[in-house]
Amino acid sequence: MHVAAEEIRAGAAELIDHHARGAWRPNDADRRTAAALFRHLETGLPLSGEQIRSALAPPEPAAPVSAELLALLRATAGLLEDTGVADGPVGRDAVDHVCLLLDALALARPDAGR
């Protein structure tokens, strides 16, 4: 399933906006997944599809990763594997937006917005 980079960017921007406004409250699984990917980003290495799939692979938590975030991360993993698109300006912009979302989720306090 291929999702266009523009759709990934728009999805990430929408989740960032919903999170900032308190319209979407990430669950513990969302924050754990984002934190795992954020730790990788802190190394300075680029994000890869394999890292995303690895972060999504742990045993099912009590509350699974939210459907919106799960779909966005799976689409991003696919995008990253298409280097022709991922390395272009639109692909980089989409991945940058996903990384901004991961930063926001990883750094959010569990009770933020409640």
Side-chain angles (χ1 to χ4, degrees), residues 9-72:
R9 181 200 180 282
E14 182 177 1
L15 284 179
I16 290 167
D17 180 59
H18 287 175
H19 179 256
R21 291 186 298 118
W24 173 57
R25 291 192 176 103
N27 64 34
D28 288 338
D30 296 335
R31 284 189 294 278
R32 278 194 304 274
T33 300
L37 292 169
F38 180 74
R39 281 191 296 277
H40 174 75
L41 291 171
E42 287 184 314
T43 67
L45 297 172
L47 193 59
S48 74
E50 184 59 37
Q51 275 119 11
I52 292 173
R53 276 191 293 287
S54 178
L56 294 172
E60 287 293 317
V65 172
S66 62
E68 300 92 346
L69 182 60
L70 182 62
L72 180 70

Side-chain angles (χ1 to χ4, degrees), residues 34 38 41 98-108:
F38 180 74
L41 291 171
V98 171
C99 290
L100 288 171
L101 174 63
L102 294 172
D103 291 352
L105 295 180
L107 299 174

